[in-house]
Amino acid sequence: MKFSGTDSYVATDDLKVAVNAAVTLERPLLVKGEPGTGKTELARQVSAALGLPMIEWHIKSTTRAQQGLYEYDAVSRLRDSQLGDERVHDVANYIKPGKLWEAFAAPGKVVLLIDEIDKADIEFPNDLLQELDRMEFHVYETNETVKAVNRPIVIITSNNEKELPDAFLRRCFFHYIRFPDMDTMRQIVEVHHPGIKQALLTTALTQFYEIRDQQGLKKKPSTSEVLDWLKLLLAEDLEAEDLRRDSTQALPKLHGALLKNEQDVHLFERLAFMARRGR
């Protein structure tokens, strides 16, 4: 069972090695990187490439680890007991399986995505240590143990907003998705916009990387944003010549696809103003 990328996802050699190493070790793969670098999409592409079903658990700031195992609906049981419902005699009727339970109980191997784990409370990763390590957990209300029928391929993503506990990191295989260089970005663009004119692509990517390298930028544009920008350029039927700017035109055309806050827009406007004054 080897991952070698897909036609719709450009995976670098080191990323392929990381995925296959995690599968071989039967360890969760912890993937970090800038937002928009394809971390979540990686799990979907691994699922597609290996022909495995996928279960997605998207983490929010309010998500608790227990929700990934199961939730016991005591309120509904109390209400049903007041109404005389026969279902109250079996507590299992009020146990709702979580995403980990779904993955453990699946009849075959699955890919389990735990997306943006760093959004949750700092204790969230620690609360899943034993479950991810032993691939089992206990349901106290029914006194049963849920054990993985087939050990799932677990892919965990993080935007690096919080430091993760050392004990959790020890149980993972780690990979950091570096931001694509120009050549890799060309391959990615070709997947999403096949046949794009090379002159337009060269000019657009040159401007894109110049923006990313600008000192003082609050939010650097990501891979997903340059793909959106190119989609707009193609929709407007623009040529490479249409994108060319002089020093007094700091903002690129349709810059709203790349710059996502007013501070960064003002930064480039100030650069253009200073260039005009310096003439």
Side-chain angles (χ1 to χ4, degrees):
M1 186 175 285
K2 292 285 186 182
F3 175 68
S4 55
T6 67
D7 292 339
S8 58
Y9 187 87
V10 176
T12 57
D13 290 340
D14 58 342
L15 179 55
K16 296 174 192 174
V17 168
V19 172
N20 292 320
V23 171
T24 300
L25 293 171
E26 296 188 321
R27 295 278 190 181
L29 173 62
L30 174 61
V31 185
K32 289 188 178 183
E34 290 182 32
T37 49
K39 300 184 297 296
T40 301
E41 187 61 24
L42 170 65
R44 299 182 181 128
Q45 295 300 324
V46 170
S47 169
L50 301 182
L52 300 176
M54 180 165 168
I55 296 173
E56 301 186 30
W57 186 16
H58 298 284
I59 308 304
K60 301 177 181 178
S61 60
T62 56
T63 303
R64 295 175 293 108
Q66 179 65 32
Q67 292 171 307
L69 309 180
Y70 68 92
E71 293 184 273
Y72 169 50
D73 192 350
V75 174
S76 291
R77 193 180 187 198
L78 175 61
R79 183 191 63 230
D80 288 348
S81 68
Q82 294 171 339
L83 297 174
D85 195 318
E86 290 298 316
R87 296 173 70 248
V88 299
H89 300 299
D90 185 358
V91 68
N93 290 323
Y94 302 93
I95 300 293
K96 179 183 177 183
K99 297 297 184 180
L100 264 71
W101 189 330
E102 287 181 33
F104 290 1
K109 203 172 190 69
V110 302
V111 174
L112 171 63
L113 168 66
I114 303 177
D115 197 29
E116 298 189 329
I117 194 171
D118 52 325
K119 278 188 175 179
D121 184 85
I122 189 62
E123 290 303 318
F124 180 93
N126 282 332
D127 292 341
L128 290 178
L129 284 179
Q130 298 301 322
E131 289 77 10
L132 290 176
D133 199 26
R134 297 178 181 176
M135 287 289 155
E136 65 178 43
F137 62 89
H138 190 70
V139 183
Y140 295 98
E141 289 79 4
T142 60
N143 198 31
E144 65 176 312
T145 297
V146 176
K147 188 175 179 66
V149 178
N150 297 279
R151 195 176 185 96
I153 297 173
V154 181
I155 297 178
I156 303 170
T157 71
S158 169
N159 289 328
N160 233 2
E161 292 180 7
K162 291 192 188 90
E163 287 296 322
L164 298 174
D166 288 345
F168 180 80
L169 295 175
R170 281 198 301 272
R171 289 165 167 82
C172 299
F173 189 92
F174 173 76
H175 181 74
Y176 184 84
I177 296 183
R178 294 181 179 84
F179 196 83
D181 58 22
M182 182 82 82
D183 290 338
T184 304
M185 187 65 80
R186 284 179 177 275
Q187 296 176 48
I188 294 171
V189 171
E190 185 60 33
V191 167
H192 293 270
H193 303 297
I196 187 171
K197 294 177 182 177
Q198 289 304 302
L200 173 64
L201 179 58
T202 298
T203 302
L205 289 184
T206 299
Q207 290 187 12
F208 170 71
Y209 281 99
E210 286 174 354
I211 290 173
R212 275 188 58 86
D213 292 341
Q214 177 60 51
Q215 293 293 320
L217 202 63
K218 184 175 181 181
K219 182 194 177 304
K220 294 182 178 182
S222 67
T223 305
S224 60
E225 287 156 344
V226 73
L227 292 174
D228 286 346
W229 185 48
L230 288 167
K231 184 176 181 179
L232 289 173
L233 298 181
L234 291 171
E236 294 291 326
D237 198 25
L238 297 179
E239 300 288 341
E241 293 75 19
D242 299 320
L243 299 186
R244 295 205 172 96
R245 306 165 296 168
D246 60 30
S247 60
T248 64
Q249 296 171 307
L251 285 169
K253 290 186 181 297
L254 301 167
H255 62 270
L258 298 174
L259 302 175
K260 297 301 178 72
N261 60 65
E262 63 277 14
Q263 294 97 318
D264 290 343
V265 173
H266 291 334
L267 170 63
F268 281 92
E269 287 175 341
R270 285 197 301 273
L271 291 172
F273 175 73
M274 291 168 64
R276 286 194 296 269
R277 287 189 63 183
R279 277 190 164 187

